[in-house]
Amino acid sequence: MKKITLLGSIVVLLLFTCVVKAQDRKPFHIIPLVPVAGQDVKFTYDNSLTSLADEETIYGTVYYWENLRWRAEDLKLVKNDTAWEATCRVPENCALVSCKFYAGDKKDTGGRSTYTTMTFSKNGQNLPTAYMAWGMLRNKTLESLPEYCDEDAYIDDEVMRFWLNQQLLKDPGARKYVFYYAAKLLNKMMPGEKHEQMLGDVDFILNLPDVDEETLLKALEVAKNIVKDSTKAAAVETRILKDYPNGILARDQEIWRIFRIMDADAKAPELDAFLKRFPTEKFKDIETETSSMYLGKIFQAVVYQPIIKKNDYSFLYKYLHDVPHLCLLTFYWHMVQVPLNTNQRTPEQVLPFAKVIYNEVMTRPQAGADQVYSEREWKDYLLTRGKDMILKYAFVLDATGSSAEALELMEEIKGKYNFKSAEYNNQYVRLLEKMAISRW
């Protein structure tokens, strides 16, 4: 038998150590390991260890859980020798940080464990809602960030209940924001039960001396839609309207009242009074079931009536910045696409309002739930949702002498059609030919 020399033993040990270290390599690291709210944190991502291993360019999004909402930012990733790196400042009120990496349609969110971490205050304490948010990220009943988790990362409702209880144990003041999510979860797990506990939570909220309207609205939902106690719901509603006479609930009631006015001409002065009492800027981050269903329809009735009767588009310009964002695509359909498709209007005639609607759709700042998209993702979302609008706008621009600008727009939405639309293909080829001739 051959002897193993000292040098040979060292070589074997080094090889074994390298193998162990290679097996321990992880694709995602946070520096410092315990991020502090209000301070910088660095993320490193080695895509060679993930499903994005063959991708040359990686993009990233960081999500901040703050004030019971997610807000997204693009990660400014820079490639070093072995990994992609980005440094961010964690917001002061951020309780949870989560990352996503992607290339094209492929994404990596860390599988079962996710690329997520709780943050800490400068005193080393978790921020309020951290435990609850950690569970909600990965629970389908209370899912707070849709389409983020891989399937194997989800936790069942019983585990979610554990995280809500942990929040209550860790934070004495947690009841005022846990109660709503606990009621939704328990209603799913054991329908018709725990109503006494839920009503106790509603009373707790009503007895708070200084409570914001959104918390009161959650108490109203519990009383009205989960427990179905009309007396308690009426008490909560009375409290909301007393404390917030020009708030969210009062606004919803006015939306419903104005929507039911049958005479479109009579709606116009009502809408003006509504916007004076409930300025759009004040409610830009607020979307309720009532506002999403009916507010856009009120604007439609008021704006369309003078167009139909007198070919008067003045109300479009007057209310352009107040119309709910994606309702503008419906406006564009009726004012630009339909008239052009049916030869009722020429490109020259529709150009002015085609331009202003397009610009409003594409440049209005994100607000409310839309902030769950990073800037890059939001642009992609708008191109996806608005591709038909953009295609017709490119047609109008080309027909009115702005072919170069039209071609730029066509290039932007090329991937959204992927040459599967005859209308897009014909228009794109025609523009390419026209621009090639103009260069000669």
Side-chain angles (χ1 to χ4, degrees):
M1 179 181 288
K2 292 184 179 180
K3 291 183 178 180
I4 300 177
T5 63
L6 178 60
L7 179 60
S9 299
I10 293 173
V11 170
V12 170
L13 180 61
L14 286 173
L15 287 172
F16 176 76
T17 302
C18 289
V19 169
V20 171
K21 286 186 175 180
Q23 291 174 341
D24 288 343
R25 286 173 62 197
K26 295 181 179 179
F28 181 71
H29 293 277
I30 300 174
I31 305 170
L33 187 61
V34 179
V36 177
Q39 297 183 6
D40 286 350
V41 61
K42 183 166 82 170
F43 304 111
T44 67
Y45 177 69
D46 184 354
N47 64 296
S48 69
L49 303 174
T50 74
S51 59
L52 305 182
D54 297 328
E55 302 295 334
E56 294 185 2
T57 302
I58 303 295
Y59 298 100
T61 303
V62 58
Y63 300 95
Y64 302 118
W65 173 261
E66 48 184 337
N67 303 318
L68 297 175
R69 287 187 176 94
W70 287 105
R71 180 174 63 82
E73 290 182 359
D74 289 312
L75 283 172
K76 297 178 181 178
L77 292 169
V78 177
K79 183 71 179 290
N80 64 19
D81 291 338
T82 59
W84 297 84
E85 296 181 348
T87 299
C88 304
R89 174 64 57 91
V90 179
E92 291 283 353
N93 295 321
C94 174
L96 206 68
V97 175
S98 195
C99 289
K100 176 183 74 178
F101 302 94
Y102 62 96
D105 294 331
K106 296 166 62 178
K107 72 169 185 176
D108 175 25
T109 55
R112 185 173 184 179
S113 59
T114 76
Y115 298 139
T116 303
T117 184
M118 295 182 188
T119 65
F120 294 82
S121 68
K122 293 176 178 139
N123 297 325
Q125 302 296 317
N126 286 115
L127 272 71
T129 77
Y131 291 89
M132 179 179 81
W134 174 248
M136 288 169 59
L137 177 70
R138 300 173 299 135
N139 173 255
K140 289 186 177 181
T141 300
L142 301 179
E143 191 169 25
S144 61
L145 190 58
E147 300 181 8
Y148 174 80
C149 286
D150 293 339
E151 193 61 34
D152 62 350
Y154 285 107
I155 57 175
D156 63 29
D157 289 342
E158 195 60 56
V159 178
M160 181 68 238
R161 189 179 183 182
F162 164 81
W163 285 111
L164 291 176
N165 284 326
Q166 284 296 109
Q167 189 68 67
L168 290 168
L169 288 171
K170 301 289 184 181
D171 178 7
R175 186 180 180 186
K176 66 183 178 183
Y177 51 80
V178 167
F179 84 95
Y180 171 69
Y181 301 102
K184 290 181 69 174
L185 187 72
L186 292 173
N187 190 53
K188 166 81 180 307
M189 295 175 69
M190 45 190 80
E193 300 182 29
K194 301 290 184 180
H195 282 184
E196 185 176 345
Q197 175 183 323
M198 295 176 191
L199 289 175
D201 287 334
V202 171
D203 284 334
F204 168 76
I205 297 300
L206 283 174
N207 289 323
L208 290 175
D210 186 18
V211 57
D212 63 90
E213 187 181 9
E214 290 190 56
T215 300
L216 285 168
L217 285 168
K218 288 174 180 175
L220 177 59
E221 184 177 340
V222 172
K224 185 177 182 179
N225 298 327
I226 296 179
V227 179
K228 301 186 187 304
D229 185 320
S230 58
T231 302
K232 188 67 68 177
V236 180
E237 187 170 314
T238 299
R239 167 72 182 276
I240 294 173
L241 294 174
K242 176 178 177 292
D243 289 359
Y244 300 95
N246 295 309
I248 300 166
L249 180 59
R251 180 174 181 258
D252 274 357
Q253 291 179 346
E254 274 297 280
I255 289 172
W256 177 234
R257 183 186 70 81
I258 297 171
F259 170 76
R260 288 180 296 160
I261 296 174
M262 299 304 295
D263 184 354
D265 289 328
K267 285 184 193 283
E270 296 284 354
L271 180 57
D272 285 337
F274 171 86
L275 292 173
K276 185 175 181 180
R277 181 181 173 189
F278 306 103
T280 299
E281 181 63 23
K282 178 182 175 182
F283 293 90
K284 63 183 177 64
D285 291 326
I286 302 297
E287 183 177 0
T288 66
E289 183 178 354
T290 297
S291 66
S292 63
M293 289 180 65
Y294 302 113
L295 184 56
K297 292 181 173 65
I298 295 173
F299 279 107
Q300 264 184 267
V302 172
V303 172
Y304 287 15
Q305 183 76 349
I307 293 175
I308 294 169
K309 284 188 172 182
K310 300 176 289 187
N311 196 33
D312 178 5
Y313 287 81
S314 60
F315 278 6
L316 168 65
Y317 298 97
K318 178 179 179 179
Y319 296 118
L320 184 67
H321 302 310
D322 299 302
V323 177
H325 186 230
L326 289 180
C327 288
L328 289 167
L329 294 177
T330 303
F331 277 46
Y332 192 93
W333 167 255
H334 287 130
M335 296 181 196
V336 180
Q337 290 167 266
V338 170
L340 287 174
N341 293 342
T342 56
N343 297 316
Q344 297 177 49
R345 294 284 189 274
T346 66
E348 289 78 12
Q349 289 173 324
V350 302
L351 175 62
F353 31 94
K355 181 177 182 179
V356 296
I357 297 175
Y358 166 82
N359 286 336
E360 184 70 15
V361 171
M362 301 304 292
T363 64
R364 184 184 291 184
Q366 291 167 247
D370 293 337
Q371 294 178 86
V372 77
Y373 297 98
S374 71
E375 184 178 346
R376 183 185 297 111
E377 291 171 329
W378 180 242
K379 178 65 180 295
D380 184 71
Y381 173 79
L382 292 179
L383 292 177
T384 301
R385 287 293 300 267
K387 66 180 186 297
D388 292 341
M389 172 192 71
I390 298 169
L391 176 61
K392 193 59 71 175
Y393 185 46
F395 169 80
V396 171
L397 288 173
D398 177 40
T400 55
S402 299
S403 299
E405 185 180 352
L407 183 58
E408 289 178 8
L409 293 181
M410 296 291 284
E411 294 288 358
E412 282 195 323
I413 58 174
K414 187 194 312 187
K416 302 305 175 186
Y417 283 105
N418 200 23
F419 298 109
K420 294 179 180 178
S421 163
E423 182 182 359
Y424 177 88
N425 296 345
N426 293 336
Q427 190 167 310
Y428 183 58
V429 170
R430 187 171 64 251
L431 274 167
L432 288 175
E433 291 173 344
K434 180 183 287 189
M435 296 308 298
I437 293 171
S438 69
R439 292 191 184 100
W440 286 98

